[in-house]
C-alpha cells in the first residue's frame, strides 16, 4: 500500500560518507514528505550525487541513519533489495540494456523480480511508453534512439516497478541542449501527478518551477534550504549567493 500524502517517506539523520580520507558528506539531516519534490543544487564536488546514491545504498554510509518508507536501510537486518523495489533511480548515463529492445528494457525488472506476469508487464510497459511519448519506439534498441529518448525510456523503466519515490541524479547532464526539454517535461508530468521526487540537478529553471523545496549543498553540507522563491529570490547564505550569481 502506497504511503499517504503528507507523511514522511525519507528521514536522513547525521549522514556521513568518507572515501578513505576524503570526507564527502559531513552529517546530513533531511526529511522528505510523500508527494514532495525536492531539488538538490550546488557546485560540482559538493556531495550531491553521493548523497543520492546513499539513499538507495549504492553507496554505503560511513555513519548516520537513513529511513525510507519506514525501513531503516542502514540496519544490517534490513532487506535492501526489498526496499529498493519501491525506489526508482534515474542516472546521468541511461544504463539501458543494449541487447534488449525498449519494451524488453522496461519489462525486465517486473519479470525478473516476479512482480507481474509477462502479459501484465507488457501492458504496463506499453502504457509507460505512451506516458513518456515513445509508443512508436517499443521495438527499437537503445543505440537507435537519441539521448533524450533513451533517458525517457530509463524513466519509464524506473516507473515499471510502481515506486513510491523517484531519485534523479542529474538526468539531463549528458544530453544535448535541445533534448533537455523533452526529459524535463516528463519529470514535470510526474511531479504534477504527485510522485515523491529527489532531483540532483543543474537545471535551475526546473528547480524554480517544479520543486516544493530547494536544497543547496556545498562541501558535503546542506548550507541552505527553502522554497524556490526563498532560495532563488532571497538567499541568506553567502555561499548560496555566490553560487547562484554564477549560474543564473
Amino acid at each position: 500500500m502506497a504511503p499517504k500524502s503528507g507523511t514522511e517517506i525519507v528521514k536522513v539523520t547525521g549522514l556521513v560518507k568518507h572515501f578513505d580520507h576524503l570526507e564527502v558528506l559531513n552529517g546530513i539531516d533531511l526529511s522528505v514528505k510523500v508527494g514532495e519534490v525536492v531539488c538538490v543544487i550546488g557546485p560540482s564536488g559538493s556531495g550531491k550525487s553521493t548523497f543520492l546514491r546513499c539513499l538507495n545504498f549504492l553507496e554505503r554510509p560511513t555513519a548516520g541513519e537513513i529511513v525510507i518508507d519506514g525501513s531503516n536501510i542502514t540496519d544490517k537486518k534490513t532487506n535492501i533489495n526489498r526496499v529498493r523495489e519501491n525506489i526508482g533511480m534515474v542516472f546521468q548515463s541511461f544504463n539501458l540494456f543494449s541487447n534488449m529492445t525498449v519494451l524488453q528494457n522496461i519489462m525486465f525488472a517486473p519479470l525478473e523480480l516476479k512482480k507481474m506476469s509477462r502479459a501484465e508487464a507488457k501492458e504496463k510497459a506499453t502504457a509507460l511508453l505512451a506516458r513518456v511519448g515513445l509508443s512508436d519506439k517499443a521495438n527499437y534498441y537503445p543505440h537507435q534512439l537519441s539521448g533524450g529518448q533513451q533517458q525517457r525510456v530509463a524513466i519509464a523503466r524506473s516507473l515499471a516497478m510502481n515506486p513510491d519515490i523517484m531519485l534523479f541524479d542529474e538526468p539531463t547532464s549528458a544530453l544535448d541542449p535541445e533534448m533537455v526539454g523533452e526529459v524535463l517535461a516528463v519529470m514535470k508530468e510526474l511531479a504534477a501527478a504527485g510522485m515523491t521526487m529527489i532531483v540532483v540537478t543543474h537545471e535551475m529553471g526546473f528547480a524554480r518551477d517544479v520543486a516544493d523545496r530547494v536544497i543547496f549543498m556545498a562541501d558535503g553540507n546542506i548550507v541552505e534550504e527553502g522554497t524556490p522563491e526563498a532560495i532563488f529570490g532571497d538567499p541568506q547564505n553567502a555561499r548560496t549567493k555566490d553560487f547562484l550569481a554564477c549560474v543564473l
Side-chain angles (χ1 to χ4, degrees), residues 56-121:
N56 66 355
F57 233 56
L58 289 175
E59 297 290 355
R60 185 180 293 271
T62 305
E65 188 175 88
I66 302 170
V67 179
I68 306 268
D69 251 353
S71 297
N72 181 353
I73 66 170
T74 37
D75 184 336
K76 289 185 173 65
K77 296 192 285 289
T78 299
N79 182 339
I80 185 61
N81 290 323
R82 185 68 48 79
V83 177
R84 278 196 189 122
E85 290 175 11
N86 291 322
I87 305 172
M89 178 106 185
V90 178
F91 300 88
Q92 297 177 28
S93 51
F94 322 118
N95 292 4
L96 298 174
F97 297 115
S98 60
N99 61 333
M100 294 184 188
T101 66
V102 163
L103 196 69
Q104 288 167 338
N105 263 281
I106 299 171
M107 291 171 62
F108 179 77
L111 290 177
E112 184 75 5
L113 296 167
K114 299 182 171 55
K115 290 290 181 181
M116 299 177 197
S117 67
R118 181 162 289 278
E120 287 172 322

Side-chain angles (χ1 to χ4, degrees), residues 26-205:
N26 302 330
I28 301 287
D29 295 316
L30 179 71
S31 63
V32 178
K33 292 189 166 74
V34 173
E36 192 174 16
V37 178
V38 175
C39 283
V40 184
I41 64 171
S44 295
S46 58
K48 306 183 301 293
S49 291
T50 300
F51 169 63
L52 208 66
R53 290 171 67 83
C54 285
L55 291 181
N56 66 355
F57 233 56
L58 289 175
E59 297 290 355
R60 185 180 293 271
T62 305
E65 188 175 88
I66 302 170
V67 179
I68 306 268
D69 251 353
S71 297
N72 181 353
I73 66 170
T74 37
D75 184 336
K76 289 185 173 65
K77 296 192 285 289
T78 299
N79 182 339
I80 185 61
N81 290 323
R82 185 68 48 79
V83 177
R84 278 196 189 122
E85 290 175 11
N86 291 322
I87 305 172
M89 178 106 185
V90 178
F91 300 88
Q92 297 177 28
S93 51
F94 322 118
N95 292 4
L96 298 174
F97 297 115
S98 60
N99 61 333
M100 294 184 188
T101 66
V102 163
L103 196 69
Q104 288 167 338
N105 263 281
I106 299 171
M107 291 171 62
F108 179 77
L111 290 177
E112 184 75 5
L113 296 167
K114 299 182 171 55
K115 290 290 181 181
M116 299 177 197
S117 67
R118 181 162 289 278
E120 287 172 322
K122 186 173 183 181
E123 184 181 353
K124 176 80 174 174
T126 302
L128 286 169
L129 277 178
R131 187 173 180 182
V132 300
L134 292 172
S135 292
D136 59 332
K137 306 295 186 189
N139 296 315
Y140 282 54
Y141 286 86
H143 74 271
Q144 297 174 297
L145 304 180
S146 71
Q149 290 169 335
Q150 288 186 63
Q151 193 60 295
R152 283 188 278 157
V153 173
I155 293 172
R157 182 183 59 181
S158 291
L159 292 170
M161 290 289 290
N162 297 320
D164 292 330
I165 181 171
M166 288 282 285
L167 308 177
F168 293 87
D169 187 9
E170 297 187 17
T172 59
S173 66
L175 301 179
D176 292 334
E178 67 268 23
M179 294 173 190
V180 169
E182 64 192 56
V183 173
L184 294 181
V186 171
M187 293 170 64
K188 286 178 181 176
E189 186 270 322
L190 276 180
M195 175 63 74
T196 308
M197 296 163 60
I198 302 177
V199 184
V200 171
T201 186
H202 290 300
E203 300 293 336
M204 298 301 142

Side-chain angles (χ1 to χ4, degrees), residues 216 223-225 229-242 244:
F216 174 69
V223 174
E224 189 168 355
E225 63 178 293
E229 295 77 16
I231 296 295
F232 292 111
D234 188 24
Q236 300 300 302
N237 188 282
R239 191 83 174 76
T240 316
K241 290 177 185 175
D242 290 346
L244 291 174

